[in-house]
Amino acid sequence: MAYVKGNKRIGLLSATIAFFAGFAAVALYGITVHKLAFILHLSVMEVGWLVAIPLVTGAFLRIPFSALVDTWGGKRVILLQLFISIIGVTGIILTLQNIASLSSSLAYKLLLSFGALAGTGISIFSSGTTYVSYWYPKREQGTALGIYAGFGNTAPGIFTAIIPYALITLGLIGAYLGWWLFLIVVTIIFLFVSSDNYYQQLLKKGYSDTEAKRISQELGQEIFPTSAKETLKNAARLWQVWLLVILYFISFGGFEALTEWLPTYWTEFIGVTITEAGILTGIVYSLLTALFRVPGGFWSDRYGGEKIAIISYGILTFGSLIMIFSRYLILSTIGEIVMAIGMGIANAAVFKLLPKYAKNAVGGASGLVGGLGSAGGLFIPPALAYVVTIFGKIGFALGFIVYTIFGIISIGFSIFLFYKYGKYKHEISPELKKENIGKS
């Protein structure tokens, strides 16, 4: 038997650590923007773009990076993403160190540019998902990806809670220096701990495709990569993948959107302080959503992703209705918690279904679902703001009808998928095989 490195547990651990470090960029400017806005005299629109810019690159770079895992291997791709993130944070630090000698316009443009680079770390989600998928058998995909995404997704909430204290003790530049050191340490750990899946390791050792696949299957590998171009093409022609994009748009994209929107909701509509809003958003909502992704993956493995999707989107929709009718702190907190539970479980259910529907296009499907689905974080906040401009203050509550509408649509799609494929928990159904998803 050929010598190969790594195992599924090490693969999961290393990918989760890397994703946690990269995904923290969701909170890159969320707290510090108040200081930056004062220093640079930024408008509300400029503040909005500064906060959003990491999410823009983090969303749309998921597609190419995830597909590249199938050609380059996950280790090389994730290291590249971490390295680009380090360059971005380095640029932010240098800009802040020289901000007194720069014009406000130039400093703002530099912070936007380096923020976009730092946001590359957010895109590790999809490349890491592909990386982990190749390590685990189909029956364990939900649990493995639930652990990976669940703990990785806690980063914005944790960083949102830590940064205010870092600003007090270390200052603005010191806070970003701490962030930079954290990225450096994680990158070094990932470099020495991670390994590509058995199949790609054997190909690099000179084994033929047939022999590499045979040995890898003996070692327990069930899902295999194709070329980057092929995996994107195969994924894009599967209508099941596009349904998953829609589902993920409201569960994960909606999660990112509320992470941005809720501080404004809590301060402007409910009337709490900015510190209280940070706790209600970062800890109560963001962390809870992330952590519920872990049991969501386990339940999806046990009961089937389609069935769990129906239940979770129902919970999400119910929570949105509470938010629509709530005018008080306690009821809104309950609504927020219900939505967080539904979103966390739904996110896990979607990625349990992804390798089931796109067995031979996991990289491309992960990029499309993760990239286009997360675009909800870009488009939903403006929609919520538009409702406020029409209805005034009460629009903060009425805006949650966006989640109600998408939630109902998602329930309908999940029911359709359940009746078509629900009896096949882990394996590819005969119908999907006929659609060339299960072909090798």
Side-chain angles (χ1 to χ4, degrees), residues 279-418:
I279 294 172
L280 286 166
T281 302
I283 305 299
V284 176
Y285 172 74
S286 184
L287 279 180
L288 191 63
T289 304
L291 292 176
F292 259 90
R293 191 162 185 163
V294 179
F298 172 78
W299 293 328
S300 296
D301 275 342
R302 183 167 184 176
Y303 302 109
E306 294 91 351
K307 186 179 294 183
I308 296 302
I310 295 170
I311 296 171
S312 58
Y313 283 105
I315 295 171
L316 187 161
T317 303
F318 178 63
S320 70
L321 289 171
I322 294 175
M323 297 298 283
I324 289 172
F325 292 103
S326 175
R327 306 291 182 267
Y328 304 102
L329 175 62
I330 294 178
L331 187 57
S332 290
T333 303
I334 293 172
E336 175 187 71
I337 290 172
V338 173
M339 289 190 72
I341 293 171
M343 285 178 168
I345 298 172
N347 289 335
V350 169
F351 269 83
K352 163 63 181 177
L353 296 174
L354 189 146
K356 174 181 176 180
Y357 295 158
K359 176 185 176 182
N360 292 316
V362 173
S366 177
L368 289 174
V369 174
L372 299 181
S374 66
L378 307 177
F379 297 119
I380 293 177
L384 297 175
Y386 182 69
V387 176
V388 174
T389 61
I390 295 176
F391 295 98
K393 190 174 181 179
I394 196 65
F396 282 104
L398 298 179
F400 281 90
I401 196 171
V402 172
Y403 286 89
T404 306
I405 294 171
F406 272 101
I408 292 172
I409 292 172
S410 298
I411 293 170
F413 285 151
S414 299
I415 291 173
F416 170 74
L417 291 172
F418 174 74

Side-chain angles (χ1 to χ4, degrees), residues 67-392:
L68 279 175
V69 171
D70 284 359
T71 302
W72 291 5
K75 180 173 183 176
R76 189 186 301 180
V77 172
I78 294 173
L79 282 171
L80 175 61
Q81 291 168 289
L82 287 170
F83 182 67
I84 295 173
S85 298
I86 291 170
I87 293 174
V89 177
T90 302
I92 292 171
I93 294 169
L94 293 174
T95 301
L96 294 176
Q97 287 177 333
N98 296 280
I99 201 164
S101 61
L102 301 173
S103 67
S104 295
S105 176
L106 177 58
Y108 177 71
K109 291 175 182 176
L110 288 172
L111 290 174
L112 275 178
S113 300
F114 290 124
L117 289 176
T120 303
I122 299 173
S123 67
I124 291 175
F125 170 75
S126 290
S127 53
T129 296
T130 306
Y131 174 84
V132 172
S133 292
Y134 292 140
W135 277 113
Y136 278 82
K138 291 185 286 291
R139 68 180 182 277
E140 298 177 11
Q141 290 280 322
T143 300
L145 294 177
I147 292 171
Y148 162 74
F151 287 110
N153 279 344
T154 62
I158 292 174
F159 272 65
T160 298
I162 291 175
I163 289 174
Y165 297 100
L167 288 173
I168 294 172
T169 57
L170 303 174
L172 184 60
I173 296 174
Y176 280 109
L177 275 171
W179 197 320
W180 181 84
L181 286 171
F182 175 68
L183 279 172
I184 292 290
V185 170
V186 169
T187 302
I188 293 172
I189 291 173
F190 186 81
L191 173 65
F192 288 103
V193 172
S194 65
S195 302
D196 285 323
N197 60 79
Y198 299 135
Y199 172 74
Q200 290 182 314
Q201 287 186 55
L202 292 168
L203 288 180
K204 291 175 183 177
K205 290 178 181 290
Y207 285 80
S208 68
D209 180 81
T210 302
E211 190 67 7
K213 187 170 289 188
R214 182 188 65 78
I215 296 173
S216 300
Q217 287 174 328
E218 291 177 359
L219 292 170
Q221 186 170 341
E222 295 182 4
I223 301 175
F224 298 90
T226 56
S227 70
K229 181 179 178 180
E230 195 68 20
T231 189
L232 274 175
K233 184 173 71 174
N234 289 342
R237 69 187 182 192
L238 301 176
W239 61 264
Q240 295 90 347
V241 169
W242 293 105
L243 282 190
L244 295 183
V245 168
I246 296 172
L247 296 181
Y248 208 59
F249 182 92
I250 192 61
S251 60
F252 187 78
F255 158 70
E256 288 187 321
L258 285 188
T259 301
E260 301 170 45
W261 181 254
L262 280 175
T264 303
Y265 168 88
W266 288 118
T267 54
E268 299 295 326
F269 185 61
I270 301 300
V272 303
T273 66
I274 190 63
T275 303
E276 292 168 333
I279 294 172
L280 286 166
T281 302
I283 305 299
V284 176
Y285 172 74
S286 184
L287 279 180
L288 191 63
T289 304
L291 292 176
F292 259 90
R293 191 162 185 163
V294 179
F298 172 78
W299 293 328
S300 296
D301 275 342
R302 183 167 184 176
Y303 302 109
E306 294 91 351
K307 186 179 294 183
I308 296 302
I310 295 170
I311 296 171
S312 58
Y313 283 105
I315 295 171
L316 187 161
T317 303
F318 178 63
S320 70
L321 289 171
I322 294 175
M323 297 298 283
I324 289 172
F325 292 103
S326 175
R327 306 291 182 267
Y328 304 102
L329 175 62
I330 294 178
L331 187 57
S332 290
T333 303
I334 293 172
E336 175 187 71
I337 290 172
V338 173
M339 289 190 72
I341 293 171
M343 285 178 168
I345 298 172
N347 289 335
V350 169
F351 269 83
K352 163 63 181 177
L353 296 174
L354 189 146
K356 174 181 176 180
Y357 295 158
K359 176 185 176 182
N360 292 316
V362 173
S366 177
L368 289 174
V369 174
L372 299 181
S374 66
L378 307 177
F379 297 119
I380 293 177
L384 297 175
Y386 182 69
V387 176
V388 174
T389 61
I390 295 176
F391 295 98

Side-chain angles (χ1 to χ4, degrees), residues 59-74:
F60 293 109
L61 287 179
R62 293 181 185 196
I63 299 173
F65 278 125
S66 181
L68 279 175
V69 171
D70 284 359
T71 302
W72 291 5

